[in-house]
Amino acid sequence: MKAVDVLNIIDERSPFSAACDWDNSGFQVGDKDQKVTKLLVALDLGDEVIEHACEMGADMIVTHHPLIFSPLKRVTSDDFIAGRVLKLIKNNIAYACAHTNYDIFGMAQLAADRLMLKDTEVLSVEDVTELPEGVFGEQGIGRAGRIAEPERLCEYAETVRETFGLSHVSYFGNPDTVISKVACCPGSGKSVINDALYLKADVLVTGDIDHHSGIDATSRGLSIIDAGHYGIEHIFIKDMTDYLASRVDDGVEVVAEPLSFPINIVTGQEA
């Protein structure tokens, strides 16, 4: 099996052509004709992931977030991004990422299903011209839907924490606010606050919410649960691993990078 075959498998479910214009999804490093016998799936391509790939003898890495996002003016060891590119090349490791194409065809509904949202609708509609086989209607980033029974905001925040296996979440809003309709945008969701308000959601579950965005949203009637960028999107790792493992040739091993939450929280305790 070749690297291009892995790309084609991803493309069948999450077409790379559906990625947002500002994004850089797809094949980023290596030879598409490279033989692949061991494949590593991770959320981000940090140094520790590359080290793990080298240690296990991986031929290819697939991540959600792109390693190369902004143009590289030179590829030397002086730059930490270019240095990672060099290490991949030296170790014959091909590399690809499925970012916003997977957000639209994969992550959005996966997160909604985890939260058991009913009667879901697209949160932020994107202009998608190529749809996977059997997919119809509007497509885009995030989902909005109703939960089975209304919960107080403080209770639903705990539901979100448990659902995604997190040590903590934070939220903006009155703890006693009743939640019935939920909008969810895995990753960084500040840009979809207006979309959530338009769909009359009671709460937006997302990550990377700054102070002013949070308090402004609550003043407009939208509570926010910030589960962290990694906190929701780590579901990519298992989902993509399972999907690829079900589709690759016999003899190709697909390995999931262990979860490694990048942020540590320090809490004070009463004496």
Side-chain angles (χ1 to χ4, degrees):
M1 186 170 212
K2 298 179 180 180
V4 67
D5 299 317
V6 175
L7 292 173
N8 290 336
I9 290 172
I10 296 172
D11 192 67
E12 288 177 17
R13 186 178 69 159
S14 306
F16 289 105
S17 62
C20 297
D21 293 341
W22 51 264
D23 190 21
N24 191 28
S25 290
F27 194 68
Q28 293 201 346
V29 179
D31 184 347
K32 287 186 177 181
D33 289 329
Q34 178 169 309
K35 184 178 180 180
V36 176
T37 60
K38 188 170 286 190
L39 174 62
L40 179 63
V41 178
L43 190 71
D44 301 284
L45 192 60
D47 295 326
E48 67 285 353
V49 172
I50 298 176
E51 286 296 330
H52 185 200
C54 293
E55 291 168 2
M56 64 182 276
D59 310 291
M60 186 173 184
I61 302 173
V62 173
T63 67
H64 179 49
H65 295 133
L67 170 65
I68 303 172
F69 198 84
S70 300
L72 293 174
K73 294 184 177 181
R74 58 187 62 84
V75 181
T76 70
S77 58
D78 295 331
D79 179 84
F80 80 101
I81 296 295
R84 290 171 182 171
V85 173
L86 285 173
K87 189 159 189 176
L88 291 170
I89 293 172
K90 287 179 180 178
N91 288 277
N92 295 316
I93 300 173
Y95 168 65
C97 64
H99 191 210
T100 54
N101 58 311
Y102 178 82
D103 283 337
I104 295 170
F105 295 109
M107 186 85 80
Q109 193 59 47
L110 179 63
D113 291 343
R114 285 284 191 98
L115 291 169
M116 295 186 289
L117 301 185
K118 302 178 182 299
D119 304 321
T120 58
E121 53 192 323
V122 175
L123 177 57
S124 180
V125 176
E126 296 288 335
D127 183 15
V128 177
T129 56
E130 181 181 342
L131 302 178
E133 185 176 351
V135 174
F136 306 95
E138 289 185 330
Q139 301 298 323
I141 303 292
R143 293 290 186 271
R146 298 195 173 276
I147 55 178
E149 297 290 339
E151 296 183 37
R152 293 188 301 152
L153 176 60
C154 59
E155 296 168 338
Y156 194 67
E158 176 62 18
T159 296
V160 171
R161 188 193 70 78
E162 292 179 350
T163 296
F164 293 102
L166 308 176
S167 64
H168 68 280
V169 300
S170 58
Y171 64 86
F172 292 85
N174 186 324
D176 293 323
T177 298
V178 176
I179 302 301
S180 295
K181 188 170 185 179
V182 176
C184 181
C185 178
S188 182
K190 180 169 68 172
S191 64
V192 300
I193 286 176
N194 286 336
D195 298 292
L197 286 163
Y198 177 77
L199 294 179
K200 295 181 168 39
D202 301 306
V203 65
L204 170 63
V205 180
T206 188
D208 295 346
I209 295 296
D210 62 83
H211 172 76
H212 294 289
S213 296
I215 61 174
D216 289 349
T218 58
S219 71
R220 300 171 68 190
L222 178 69
S223 299
I224 303 276
I225 296 176
D226 190 330
H229 200 122
Y230 190 99
I232 302 177
E233 287 197 330
H234 71 75
I235 60 178
F236 166 88
I237 300 174
K238 184 179 187 305
D239 182 60
M240 184 59 75
T241 299
D242 291 347
Y243 173 65
L244 290 175
S246 71
R247 297 292 309 279
V248 296
D249 293 348
D250 292 340
V252 177
E253 183 182 3
V254 184
V255 179
E257 179 70 12
L259 296 186
S260 179
F261 291 87
I263 297 178
N264 297 308
I265 300 297
V266 179
T267 58
Q269 297 182 354
E270 294 182 2

